[in-house]
Amino acid sequence: MKLTLKIWRQDGANTKGKMVDYPIDGIEGDMSFLEMLDVLNEELVAKGEEPVEFDHDCREGICGSCSLQINGEPHGPDRLITTCQLHMRSFNDGDTITIEPFRANAFPVIKDLIVDRTAFDRIQQAGGYVSVNTSGNTIDANSIPVNKHNADDSFNAATCIGCGACVAACKNASAMLFTSAKVSQYALLPQGRVEAVDRVQAMVRQMDEEGFGNCSNTGACELECPKGISLENIARMNREYLSANAKG
Amino acid sequence: MAKFIAAKIPEGPLEKKWQNYKDQAKLVSPNNRKKLEVIVIGTGLSGASAAASLAEMGYQVKSFCFQDSPRRAHSVAAQGGVNAMKNYKNDGDSVQRMFFDTLKGGDFRAREANTYRLAQCSAALIDQAVAQGVPFAREYSGYLSNRSFGGVQVSRTFYARGQTGQQLLLGAYQALLRQQAKGKVKIFNRHEMLELVCENNTAKGIITRNLVSGKIERHAAHAVVIASGGFGKIYYLSTLAMGCNASAIWRAHKKGALMANPSWTQFHPTSLPQSGTYQSKLTLMSESLRNDGRIWVPKNKKDARNPNEIPESDRDYYLERKYPSYGNLAPRDIASRAAKEQIDNGFGVGELKNAVYLDFAKAIKDLGKTTIQKRYGNLFDMYEKITGINAFKEPMKISPSAHFSMGGLWVDYDLQTSIAGLFAIGEANFSDHGANRLGANSLLQACVDGYYILPYTLQNYLATQIDKPKPVTHSQAFVDAEERVKTQLQTYLNTNGTKTPDEYHKELGKMLYDYCGLSRSRKGLTYVIKEIQKLREEFKTNLLVLGDTYQINSELEKAGRVADYFELAELMCLDALNREESCGAHFREEYQSDEGEAVRNDDDYAYTAAWEWTGNASQPELHKEKLVFKNVSLSTRSYK
């Protein structure tokens, strides 16, 4: 395949960026999107040009490192996958592909396609845990049965990989889907109920302080989420938040 | 003559050793703990669990990772599960049995006392993880579910669909953040350790590079813990993440920490085969698939029919044929080698003839599509995303891939390396798995090291540091170390040759895979050592890295990692050459039975090979830790 790549290049956090065109040839359908960028980078280095920096690590869709706004969509045109799992067979010979970083005020660009997503760590740190020490001296794991339906829903919420696609997809750059997934995981488990009130209040407060926007109610986040995290989590978080505030 | 080293294993019967240790270990009073600082490198399961646990105790912890968030460490990718002796299934499990399975799985090349401790500590992990809100799979009754895994005959594996590593890691990550919120931990993301700083053979701190600003930083502490994971990425094509590397352990090795059994690498039998030269990694499909999938190749090499059109009579279910009692659940090393044998003999399938079939047709017929969908739905989805093939309709194509480093930094029973105050935990050390790790024991070891063992053993060391002067970053050792790092980085940039780090990495990886991979021989190893030396010399003069050191420069990061791989690769080959026997994942072609099974030599090789850096990568010095088996009789490892 022969393609034209339009890629966002930006030297650093405080410099202006711009789109740059790169023609590329010899791309095979079985290549992953990031392998295609590897090929481009090797070509750039050979020509004495600095390679395009992008975040990536596991390349199997679970670490949440890779990002990229591809043709305007987080993680590209396919559903339920991350950029590293996107394969070039999803594109056609002659295509022009635009590649930009995830855009949000709370995700400032560090270089090229790399953004700073530590705001997510801070939301998590505000209360996304059960306050139990790690000694192993707790009750037997089977002493509290958990309704399978709740356990499954909790697991589904917990599969969030913290990539930030939900934020990049949202016209308000809202982090509601990310935050609500963690709130839901614990709201659905007996182990998480003890701190439920404080947790939802603290995490929502942090989310607002980081500069994420309000929920746009369009559902773009759910559509673009590589892990299929459901909008139901946002509804559940809203209920938790309202009831927490009612309790004071 | 090799020198012998001792592991400081506590006295007493096997089942009492750990309790005896804990009863006698030195303690530090809560008031003194806050004066003591610990550095932990890596935020995977072992690193995050250790950092969180030490901070809970009251120590001041600095936690480092190269990723943008601690949550991304590669433990996140572990799929299948975590073993624990709970015997919820009432199927005959016990600590003794789990200990024996692990020791046997490792082909009797692990330390009895460590392996027993691993089994002993396993049950508490499940209790704790559930208390932390880790959403393990449950039955309709609401109780926890188990599955079976390769190399054992009981169901002791706990799991969270195909994402057990992710869920356990997030539990540890959250425990870590909880401590950062309390001010007990400071996390340094996008930082890479580039040097260990020692004074009088005692670890005093590290030099790091801030991967965003490029700034070289000094960090001093009373103890340093390396939890940087495995180095299977040295083969370039592997199941590991792109950033996984050996640099932390290798740079500690060059400061005097011994490296144990470095050549012992597990090749995972169920990863996806390579499809082209551009390929950057081999995706793993969970071993749990072997519970219901049947592995086969056509009986006729030239059979070009679609797999569904090949009748039963023309298929060779070689694992079921060769290992009737374990069948498709034979341990990883055996399943991988058996696949390689088929592929090498020309029975491989797929375009490049580099794979074998993993077939679910019978399971779908017997159990129904819904059950299989529930058990492996996400794995089938993943397979289809990558290959474009629906595994409900057609068998998967799989092949072995470099996966787990059984070797690593040598540690004693305390998980302390041969450098005082330097500890190594999780996959970064060598300790519990012998020559082959059983499936679902990796998450277990990482957690047990970090949550339950290090808090005792590190404290035992820190108790001796209360009266010592606090390590400072302006000492000569720090100044020198920083200078060395800066010079080295500048050297990569100044070389100005023609080949990128990735090009060298791919070449080196191929050499290792061919000659120090699934099988090794004296002839091949002797040959490849010279090739590695040649390529390493070329690397020094012909490397191409653009840019500068003052900003994000991923090519510069790779250059340092590949430079370390070049030295480690030679040590791996020397280690494989030294061990004139076959054991577990280490298969020396000269030492096999008539049926092609591994033949151990317990008289001469029942030891751990621990190598010392001498300043010359080609002439390391061998130390031996004798393995003493008092509680099991060494048997030929048979899964027939």
Side-chain angles (χ1 to χ4, degrees):
Chain A
M1 266 187 269
K2 213 170 170 172
L3 303 164
T4 304
L5 307 174
K6 289 181 173 296
I7 302 180
W8 183 261
R9 301 301 308 257
Q10 183 173 337
D11 274 347
N14 301 316
T15 52
K16 261 182 94 170
K18 59 170 193 237
M19 298 298 289
V20 179
D21 286 8
Y22 298 97
I24 190 164
D25 201 354
I27 298 303
E28 297 172 29
D30 280 345
M31 280 183 190
S32 74
F33 198 83
L34 297 184
E35 284 166 351
M36 182 273 294
L37 286 182
D38 291 342
V39 170
L40 172 73
N41 277 343
E42 291 285 300
E43 286 179 17
L44 289 179
V45 172
K47 283 193 285 187
E49 290 178 39
E50 280 194 30
V52 180
E53 295 288 355
F54 57 94
D55 266 329
H56 65 103
D57 201 26
C58 79
R59 297 206 176 187
E60 53 183 291
I62 192 73
C63 75
S65 294
C66 67
S67 50
L68 305 188
Q69 194 84 352
I70 300 163
N71 287 342
E73 285 188 88
H75 299 299
D78 291 4
R79 295 288 166 252
L80 297 173
I81 53 168
T82 55
T83 294
C84 65
Q85 296 172 301
L86 175 63
H87 281 70
M88 296 312 292
R89 65 179 83 91
S90 297
F91 298 90
N92 299 311
D93 187 38
D95 277 359
T96 296
I97 306 174
T98 60
I99 309 170
E100 292 173 89
F102 279 180
R103 303 283 190 191
N105 282 337
F107 288 167
V109 173
I110 297 175
K111 187 178 180 183
D112 294 339
L113 302 171
I114 297 181
V115 298
D116 180 353
R117 286 171 288 184
T118 49
F120 271 12
D121 288 327
R122 291 188 291 273
I123 294 174
Q124 182 90 37
Q125 186 172 309
Y129 43 76
V130 172
S131 299
V132 57
N133 275 6
T134 59
S135 67
N137 298 317
T138 59
I139 51 173
D140 183 85
N142 255 352
S143 60
I144 306 178
V146 181
N147 170 287
K148 182 169 167 57
H149 184 71
N150 285 349
D152 286 351
D153 283 352
S154 173
F155 172 83
N156 287 336
T159 57
C160 166
I161 56 174
C163 64
C166 48
V167 173
C170 179
K171 61 181 181 180
N172 293 349
S174 168
M176 288 284 274
L177 195 65
F178 168 79
T179 309
S180 68
K182 194 45 71 179
V183 166
S184 286
Q185 177 192 345
Y186 290 126
L188 287 160
L189 295 174
Q191 291 84 358
R193 287 306 324 170
V194 180
E195 300 170 281
V197 168
D198 291 342
R199 177 179 303 114
V200 70
Q201 289 179 328
M203 290 183 76
V204 168
R205 196 183 312 124
Q206 190 65 37
M207 179 180 83
D208 290 342
E209 277 175 22
E210 295 291 344
F212 292 104
N214 293 325
C215 181
S216 63
N217 290 311
T218 61
C221 54
E222 182 188 49
L223 185 74
E224 298 290 356
C225 173
K227 295 295 146 183
I229 304 290
S230 161
L231 278 180
E232 281 173 25
N233 293 303
I234 296 184
R236 188 179 294 107
M237 181 167 81
N238 286 337
R239 286 197 300 277
E240 290 281 322
Y241 189 69
L242 287 173
S243 99
N245 286 346
K247 285 174 193 159
Chain B
M1 244 338 248
K3 295 179 208 157
F4 284 90
I5 43 173
K8 295 200 288 183
I9 295 166
E11 293 301 318
L14 191 58
E15 61 279 10
K16 294 274 174 57
K17 284 181 190 295
W18 180 229
Q19 191 56 50
N20 287 347
Y21 181 96
K22 291 196 281 188
D23 290 346
Q24 288 160 24
K26 291 191 265 302
L27 297 176
V28 177
S29 73
N31 199 31
N32 278 331
R33 288 180 213 160
K34 59 180 180 250
K35 299 176 196 159
L36 294 166
E37 289 178 42
V38 181
I39 283 170
V40 181
I41 295 135
T43 58
L45 265 178
S46 68
S49 61
S53 302
L54 293 166
E56 280 173 15
M57 294 165 79
Y59 295 104
Q60 290 294 337
V61 179
K62 284 181 174 180
S63 160
F64 294 84
C65 65
F66 70 78
Q67 297 91 345
D68 70 321
S69 164
R71 66 178 292 154
R72 312 220 193 274
H74 199 53
S75 303
V76 79
Q79 297 171 2
V82 57
N83 288 332
M85 206 305 288
K86 277 293 200 182
N87 198 25
Y88 285 156
K89 287 275 186 179
N90 196 23
D91 59 357
D93 205 1
S94 68
V95 167
Q96 175 67 27
R97 193 171 290 278
M98 184 169 176
F99 154 71
F100 184 76
D101 285 344
T102 304
L103 206 62
K104 178 188 170 191
D107 216 353
F108 305 99
R109 287 292 175 265
R111 219 182 260 157
E112 274 191 345
N114 281 55
T115 306
Y116 197 88
R117 178 173 63 181
L118 181 72
Q120 267 178 324
C121 294
S122 64
L125 174 63
I126 303 306
D127 299 341
Q128 181 200 310
V130 166
Q132 282 175 325
V134 172
F136 285 124
R138 289 179 184 268
E139 311 283 359
Y140 280 101
S141 60
Y143 292 99
L144 293 162
S145 175
N146 291 106
R147 57 167 56 140
S148 55
F149 241 63
V152 300
Q153 290 173 316
V154 295
S155 289
R156 66 164 74 98
T157 307
F158 293 80
Y159 64 100
R161 212 170 296 161
Q163 283 137 276
T164 318
Q166 179 197 30
Q167 295 309 318
L168 280 173
L169 180 68
L170 292 180
Y173 157 73
Q174 289 161 195
L176 179 69
L177 290 185
R178 177 175 162 243
Q179 294 307 314
Q180 182 163 259
K182 290 181 172 187
K184 298 304 294 178
V185 171
K186 183 160 170 42
I187 296 167
F188 294 81
N189 69 328
R190 296 194 196 266
H191 276 66
E192 182 163 43
M193 167 186 158
L194 292 180
E195 194 76 87
L196 176 74
V197 183
C198 292
E199 288 166 20
N200 305 321
N201 196 35
T202 304
K204 295 292 177 193
I206 59 171
I207 305 289
T208 59
R209 179 165 181 266
N210 177 327
L211 300 179
V212 175
S213 69
K215 191 163 180 271
I216 305 298
E217 299 162 351
R218 306 177 192 175
H219 300 274
H222 295 88
V224 176
V225 180
I226 295 187
S228 59
F231 49 86
K233 185 71 193 164
I234 194 168
Y235 291 89
Y236 192 74
L237 284 176
S238 77
T239 65
L240 279 79
M242 302 305 285
C244 289
N245 66 79
S247 290
I249 60 177
W250 191 251
R251 289 172 194 209
H253 173 63
K254 290 175 85 169
K255 280 286 157 61
L258 303 178
M259 273 290 280
N261 306 327
S263 71
W264 290 357
T265 308
Q266 179 171 78
F267 284 74
H268 199 289
T270 53
S271 83
L272 301 187
Q274 186 181 8
S275 60
T277 51
Y278 50 80
Q279 198 144 333
S280 57
K281 84 162 273 168
L282 298 175
T283 302
L284 178 89
M285 304 300 289
S286 171
E287 170 172 86
S288 62
L289 290 169
R290 289 200 279 144
N291 273 310
D292 289 302
R294 300 178 73 199
I295 293 174
W296 63 277
V297 291
K299 280 184 180 165
N300 178 356
K301 284 182 200 185
K302 289 179 183 146
D303 201 328
R305 286 175 288 182
N306 177 299
N308 289 333
E309 287 162 16
I310 300 178
E312 287 292 315
S313 56
D314 290 346
R315 299 175 176 193
D316 179 12
Y317 293 92
Y318 57 87
L319 283 178
E320 296 172 23
R321 169 172 59 78
K322 290 171 75 171
Y323 308 101
S325 63
Y326 281 77
N328 294 297
L329 286 175
R332 290 181 177 173
D333 55 333
I334 289 177
S336 288
R337 202 155 53 242
K340 179 177 160 42
E341 191 180 87
Q342 298 298 332
I343 293 165
D344 287 352
N345 291 336
F347 292 95
V349 299
E351 215 168 294
L352 300 173
K353 304 272 267 169
N354 61 353
V356 297
Y357 288 126
L358 177 63
D359 197 334
F360 291 87
K362 183 166 186 300
I364 292 167
K365 194 167 152 239
D366 292 352
L367 304 168
K369 193 178 162 183
T370 321
T371 304
I372 298 302
Q373 171 75 41
K374 264 193 196 145
R375 283 188 191 164
Y376 313 108
N378 61 327
L379 296 168
F380 279 51
D381 289 348
M382 181 162 91
Y383 185 77
E384 186 163 5
K385 279 172 206 161
I386 296 170
T387 62
I389 294 167
N390 180 347
F392 282 106
K393 296 185 177 154
E394 199 180 299
M396 291 182 178
K397 288 194 272 292
I398 55 162
S399 78
S401 166
H403 182 54
F404 184 89
S405 309
M406 275 78 70
L409 288 176
W410 182 86
V411 289
D412 61 16
Y413 189 75
D414 286 19
L415 307 182
Q416 186 165 217
T417 68
S418 48
I419 296 175
L422 178 70
F423 292 72
I425 57 174
E427 195 178 342
N429 74 25
F430 87 105
S431 67
D432 297 353
H433 308 295
N436 172 56
R437 175 179 63 75
L438 285 186
N441 264 355
S442 161
L443 294 178
L444 176 66
Q445 186 227 335
C447 289
V448 164
D449 281 4
Y451 283 131
Y452 307 138
I453 299 176
L454 197 74
Y456 286 93
T457 61
L458 185 67
Q459 177 156 268
N460 186 56
Y461 171 78
L462 289 171
T464 64
Q465 299 301 303
I466 300 168
D467 302 335
K468 304 264 170 71
K470 188 177 180 296
V472 288
T473 55
H474 54 73
S475 71
Q476 195 58 41
F478 272 97
V479 175
D480 294 347
E482 181 180 324
E483 203 45 47
R484 266 196 306 279
V485 165
K486 286 182 170 165
T487 308
Q488 189 187 40
L489 292 172
Q490 205 52 52
T491 306
Y492 301 140
L493 290 168
N494 292 349
T495 308
N496 209 12
T498 62
K499 267 160 75 175
T500 61
D502 272 350
E503 287 178 86
Y504 280 109
H505 193 172
K506 284 179 187 179
E507 271 185 68
L508 177 69
K510 176 92 172 50
M511 285 179 184
L512 272 186
Y513 185 85
D514 288 346
Y515 297 100
C516 193
L518 277 158
S519 72
R520 298 100 189 258
S521 69
R522 187 178 305 114
K523 194 173 158 219
L525 288 163
T526 313
Y527 162 79
V528 83
I529 285 171
K530 293 215 166 64
E531 294 300 303
I532 290 170
Q533 290 168 347
K534 263 192 259 171
L535 195 64
R536 187 169 62 214
E537 286 310 306
E538 188 201 304
F539 173 82
K540 284 179 188 161
T541 55
N542 193 34
L543 176 70
L544 174 60
V545 179
L546 302 175
D548 56 50
T549 63
Y550 308 111
Q551 55 171 325
I552 288 190
N553 188 339
S554 53
E555 293 294 303
L556 183 65
E557 293 163 29
K558 286 187 214 166
R561 293 169 189 167
V562 175
D564 293 336
Y565 284 146
F566 267 117
E567 293 175 345
L568 172 57
E570 185 169 2
L571 184 66
M572 288 169 71
C573 294
L574 291 167
D575 180 58
L577 190 60
N578 169 66
R579 188 168 287 273
E580 299 200 337
E581 64 162 351
S582 292
C583 58
H586 172 69
F587 189 78
R588 278 284 299 264
E589 289 163 18
E590 301 93 331
Y591 306 100
Q592 55 179 308
S593 68
D594 294 341
E595 292 166 305
E597 301 296 333
V599 175
R600 276 199 332 259
N601 175 352
D602 294 329
D603 292 339
D604 299 322
Y605 290 95
Y607 68 77
T608 296
W611 300 90
E612 183 185 346
W613 175 257
T614 58
N616 178 345
S618 305
Q619 288 171 340
E621 190 179 340
L622 176 64
H623 300 253
K624 294 176 181 177
E625 180 200 330
K626 219 168 153 38
L627 295 171
V628 182
F629 297 95
K630 288 187 182 156
N631 299 276
V632 298
S633 50
L634 300 192
S635 55
T636 299
R637 182 166 163 254
S638 169
Y639 292 92
K640 284 186 187 293

